[in-house]
Amino acid sequence: MDPITELLAGMLEEVRPHDAGETASYIPQLRDADPAPLAFAVAGPRGRVRTVGDDEVAFTIQSISKPFVLALALEQRGRDGVLEKVGVEPSGEPFNAISLEPGTGRPANPLLNAGAIATTALIEGADVDTRTGKIVDALSAFAGRSLWIDEKVYASESETGHRNRALAHLLRSHDVIAGAVDVAVETYFRQCSVLVTVRDLAVMGATLAFGGMNPVTGRRVVSEPVARDVLAIMASCGMYDYSGEWLLRVGLPAKSGVSGGLLAVAPSQFGVAAFSPRLDAHGNSVRASALVEAVADRFGMHLLELHESLGEPAVSVETVEDGRLVRLGGELGFTGSERVVAVLRELAAGLAEGTVVTVDASELGRANPGALVALRTEFQTMPDSFVLREESG
Ligand code: GLN
């Protein structure tokens, strides 16, 4: 076992004794589910997925489908097209609340049931099958394999889904959803019934972590701005009426589901997923939450924590035949451009006149436009022997 997998396995054993909470009770498949399974997975940048525990157990994705259907809607309709029908404000209410904006009837956000049904209704298609097909294809692209629906769970969701149907009718009465209510709500029930494992969820999360590019298949699933929008909404609304406290304690965008799955994303680093069926009063898995909290804690993943690599970009100065070569690497942002300017001024002050200084910015992983403008402006004040190379070769 490699050391990271060993660490994950250790965390799994630490949370195993927690037996608080109850399985969801609204349908027999969830109520009677074995509460024992416990699994954990992390998917990293080069598509390496580490899993521990009951990683072969498949469960229905439930509400964890919501951010991915949102991604599809954003991709198809654009941000404004989605915001016209659904808000992005945390509601502080339970997942099945009637949280509609007075006047417009817009649901508070796309991760509550009302908002998710409105979002699902934005996916076009003549009937439930066509719409479901598009959604399952999108979820599969995020997971990097073909997913399918648990028909028994779907039948139970549909049979017992009176509250969701009522929410959909309210949305229809406000014209938040257009067309047949049944098409929207049955598509939503089908999307909730897609079967996944923790591995799938970790890869789905990693695809969001890496700007919409699936690190396992190498395929772009959604654009970078869409992935960022989805993560922002997950950060503020993903854990229902626990979202604020989750952001405080764990500091990662996340989404939970009523079957016991939980997915969290450390942008640019990894997707993590955990599964354990017993839920707390907010409808979030008790042990899965504890696992994600542990991994975030031990790897210093809180988004609002200091990340020194951002403040210390890679700048190296080499002596070459005709002078100096300054290589820039990594990400050039605000602090990075400040540092590069300081290095250049030091060189300009210390070197014999006419020494050629080449600044190679062609290997930057990412250069933010503001930082590049600052660098180019600085160059205008530098001696002619200073050369800025932005293109490789
Ligand atoms: N199928 C569930 C519902 O609509 C999904 C909710 C959830 O996972 N929190 O009630």
Side-chain angles (χ1 to χ4, degrees):
M1 216 188 255
D2 78 287
I4 297 181
T5 311
E6 218 166 286
L7 205 72
L8 301 179
M11 292 180 203
L12 197 82
E13 292 320 313
E14 279 168 34
V15 311
R16 196 182 291 282
H18 296 200
D19 61 359
E22 301 289 338
T23 54
S25 58
Y26 70 99
I27 54 172
Q29 288 83 357
L30 295 182
R31 186 190 59 222
D32 303 336
D34 177 6
L38 178 62
F40 196 21
V42 179
R46 282 166 294 280
R48 164 123 197 221
V49 188
R50 295 179 164 88
T51 62
V52 291
D54 303 301
D55 54 4
E56 77 295 347
V57 177
F59 49 93
T60 49
I61 189 168
Q62 297 295 348
S63 283
I64 305 174
S65 61
K66 294 171 182 173
F68 299 97
V69 177
L70 169 65
L72 182 61
L74 284 166
E75 200 63 24
Q76 293 182 351
R77 303 271 181 152
R79 189 197 265 171
D80 292 343
V82 172
L83 284 184
E84 203 183 302
K85 301 293 183 190
V86 201
V88 288
E89 299 305 333
S91 69
E93 291 188 289
F95 68 89
N96 57 6
I98 309 173
S99 210
L100 310 184
E101 192 175 64
T104 63
R106 257 185 356 153
N109 69 66
L111 303 182
L112 294 168
N113 285 10
I117 295 166
T119 307
T120 297
L122 292 175
I123 310 302
E124 278 171 6
D127 49 30
V128 175
D129 281 351
T130 316
R131 293 177 190 219
T132 306
K134 287 184 187 170
I135 290 174
V136 174
D137 284 352
L139 296 179
S140 300
F142 272 107
R145 74 171 181 111
S146 293
L147 302 174
W148 63 86
I149 289 169
D150 183 324
E151 293 295 340
K152 281 209 174 110
V153 171
Y154 161 67
S156 288
E157 292 281 350
S158 179
E159 218 168 280
T160 60
H162 307 299
R163 192 179 175 91
N164 284 326
R165 224 167 253 123
L167 288 171
H169 278 285
L170 279 174
L171 295 171
R172 182 72 189 83
S173 77
H174 286 283
D175 284 326
V176 168
I177 60 178
V181 167
D182 264 3
V183 172
V185 86
E186 295 304 320
T187 308
Y188 169 75
F189 293 142
R190 290 189 76 65
Q191 103 188 25
C192 286
S193 308
V194 168
L195 282 167
V196 288
T197 63
V198 271
R199 185 182 202 284
D200 296 324
L201 291 183
V203 176
M204 294 172 87
T207 303
L208 291 176
F210 301 109
M213 183 76 90
N214 183 319
V216 174
T217 62
R219 264 188 66 196
R220 172 156 298 284
V221 182
V222 289
S223 70
E224 215 177 294
V226 162
R228 192 185 70 173
D229 282 2
V230 170
L231 290 175
I233 299 169
M234 284 167 68
S236 58
C237 311
M239 299 294 276
Y240 309 121
D241 46 343
Y242 187 70
S243 298
E245 191 162 340
W246 175 267
L247 188 60
L248 179 82
R249 291 183 187 280
V250 183
L252 294 179
K255 186 71 205 82
S256 59
V258 83
S259 59
L262 174 62
L263 172 160
V265 176
S268 314
Q269 304 209 61
F270 59 59
V272 55
F275 169 62
S276 169
R278 287 200 188 94
L279 310 178
D280 64 17
H282 307 282
N284 301 323
S285 164
V286 175
R287 294 193 295 186
S289 302
L291 276 171
V292 174
E293 186 165 347
V295 78
D297 218 36
R298 273 170 234 182
F299 284 102
M301 305 304 311
H302 197 297
L303 282 182
L304 302 176
E305 200 151 287
L306 280 179
H307 291 289
E308 297 199 353
S309 56
L310 274 181
E312 284 293 324
V315 185
S316 69
V317 183
E318 285 167 47
T319 304
V320 291
E321 210 175 312
D322 59 349
R324 300 286 185 276
L325 174 63
V326 181
R327 284 186 207 273
L328 308 183
E331 176 166 353
L332 194 65
F334 177 78
T335 41
S337 54
E338 238 184 5
R339 167 117 198 278
V340 174
V341 166
V343 168
L344 291 177
R345 291 194 177 171
E346 220 178 281
L347 283 173
L351 288 173
E353 224 183 290
T355 310
V356 177
V357 176
T358 308
V359 178
D360 186 357
S362 68
E363 301 289 309
L364 279 170
R366 176 187 290 257
N368 294 295
L372 273 183
V373 169
L375 201 57
R376 290 190 197 120
T377 310
E378 179 67 8
F379 258 83
Q380 285 163 10
T381 69
M382 287 278 150
D384 285 347
S385 55
F386 278 63
V387 187
L388 176 61
R389 191 193 296 155
E390 294 191 43
E391 309 279 322
S392 53

